[in-house]
Amino acid sequence: MKRIASFRRGMLAAGTGAALAAALLSGASAADATVPTRAAAPDIDIAAVKADLRELQSIADENGGNRAHGEAGYEKSLDFIKGKLDEAGFTTSVQEFTSGGAKGYNLVADWPGGDDGKVVMAGSHLDSVQAGPGINDNGSGSAAILEVALAVAKADLQPAKHLRFAWWGDEEDGMVGSTHYVDSLASDEASKIDSYLNFDMLGSPNPGYFVYDDDPELEKVFTDWYAAKDIATEPETEGDGRSDHAPFKDAGVRVGGLFSGAETTKSQAQADQWGGTAGEAFDPCYHSACDTVSNIDDKALDLNTDAIAHAIWELSS
């Protein structure tokens, strides 16, 4: 894969050089020479994201009804995602840690190429609570970044910055997996992470469109995308310090992300701009057994997944 990618980059460079030389010989300026432009991010198939969620539901159903840290359902979930990434050409690694007397696991997937000194990273926690299968919290984020990663592979994307995706263990006990990852970084590794994007609960059934406002540049990547679709957004505040961006932010890494709401009640003003039901929680099944594949708003999940793809393409270029 690396050799093929290098060959393609060489051919692109050669083709660009030939075009420039031809333009100069014909008397045209260098500015007039045709230079390849960066492709826009693809539309991510919501059917593929939903298929991943059904698989995570099946895993929970076959393993005690959950995918929690220390349970078989979590390890099966990790194996499912790792298998798809390995097949697509990612370099994957599993990081082990211990929490609450049980082994936990993070899954990290690197896409070959790009500047290792400037890493664009996207992550989601893969574990559920003990009470249920955790399909919105956080199968939705996990499936969304999986399909974006697979789209990177399908496009054979050649980013200027290095791309890394991660699925965290034991977020539900206090961001244990992501904190372990950050704490395990060598002294100079955190400074190489250009940005960390976090995606936790993207398909809440009474959804809002919340954008992390921790970093103005990262926030703008998302808010501009939604504004172009005439969708209002609000700064994300409900999850401040409650998800896997927190240890990265504490380490000095700039962070961003998306969220569709949890146990907080939707206001009338929010219902007026987004639809849904005022006076009810964004996700009435938050941390409950009813957080199943039926607990997903397809429109919100589709929009949020496409927004992730846009951010990955833009920020890695």
Side-chain angles (χ1 to χ4, degrees):
M1 179 66 75
K2 288 183 181 178
R3 275 183 262 175
I4 293 173
S6 297
F7 174 76
R8 289 179 178 173
R9 283 196 296 269
M11 291 298 289
L12 283 171
T16 302
L20 179 59
L24 293 174
L25 286 172
S26 66
S29 68
D32 295 328
T34 300
V35 177
T37 57
R38 175 172 56 87
D43 180 78
I44 306 298
D45 185 3
I46 185 61
V49 183
K50 292 294 294 289
D52 294 335
L53 294 181
R54 288 193 296 273
E55 181 62 27
L56 293 176
Q57 177 76 63
S58 295
I59 289 171
D61 291 344
E62 295 166 4
N63 292 278
N66 67 65
R67 302 181 301 99
H69 163 71
E71 303 292 343
Y74 180 80
E75 294 187 45
K76 295 291 185 183
S77 298
L78 186 146
D79 290 343
F80 162 64
I81 290 178
K82 184 177 185 299
K84 297 191 84 167
L85 294 164
D86 287 340
E87 185 177 0
F90 281 83
T91 299
T92 62
S93 60
V94 176
Q95 183 183 49
E96 184 177 313
F97 59 90
T98 300
S99 175
K103 288 184 179 179
Y105 306 94
N106 294 324
L107 172 63
V108 179
D110 286 272
W111 181 242
D115 183 352
D116 288 334
K118 294 181 179 179
V119 178
V120 173
M121 194 169 183
S124 295
H125 76 87
L126 183 56
D127 62 314
S128 74
V129 293
Q130 290 277 351
I135 298 305
N136 187 37
D137 184 19
N138 184 38
S140 61
S142 294
I145 67 167
L146 171 61
E147 290 304 324
V148 171
L150 296 178
V152 166
K154 183 177 181 180
D156 192 21
L157 187 65
Q158 305 299 328
K161 298 175 184 176
H162 184 71
L163 278 176
R164 180 175 299 151
F165 296 84
W167 289 261
W168 307 118
D170 204 16
E171 184 267 358
E172 297 292 2
D173 289 320
M175 296 82 72
V176 180
S178 55
T179 299
H180 177 78
Y181 175 85
V182 172
D183 289 347
S184 300
L185 292 172
S187 59
D188 64 335
E189 289 300 310
S191 64
K192 295 179 181 179
I193 302 177
D194 173 82
S195 51
Y196 172 75
L197 306 177
N198 194 62
F199 304 103
D200 191 352
M201 301 180 67
L202 301 183
S204 297
N206 191 26
Y209 293 90
F210 299 100
V211 178
Y212 290 27
D213 61 348
D214 303 86
D215 180 88
E217 181 185 353
L218 299 181
E219 181 184 18
K220 190 174 187 298
V221 169
F222 290 113
T223 55
D224 284 356
W225 187 87
Y226 283 103
K229 297 182 179 299
D230 294 322
I231 296 173
T233 58
E234 292 184 8
E236 195 286 303
T237 58
E238 184 181 3
D240 280 355
R242 292 175 54 186
S243 195
D244 294 298
H245 61 291
F248 286 89
K249 184 177 180 179
D250 290 345
V253 177
R254 61 181 190 148
V255 299
L258 301 173
F259 179 60
S260 60
E263 74 269 37
T264 297
T265 299
K266 177 178 278 188
S267 70
Q268 185 60 59
Q270 290 170 328
D272 290 343
Q273 70 180 358
W274 292 327
T277 306
E280 291 189 3
F282 292 102
D283 184 356
C285 288
Y286 176 67
H287 282 188
S288 301
C290 59
D291 187 8
T292 67
V293 289
S294 299
N295 190 47
I296 292 290
D297 183 273
D298 286 4
K299 179 182 177 182
L301 182 61
D302 191 15
L303 285 166
N304 285 328
T305 305
D306 287 340
I308 295 170
H310 166 74
I312 291 296
W313 256 252
E314 180 165 320
L315 291 170
S316 67
S317 65

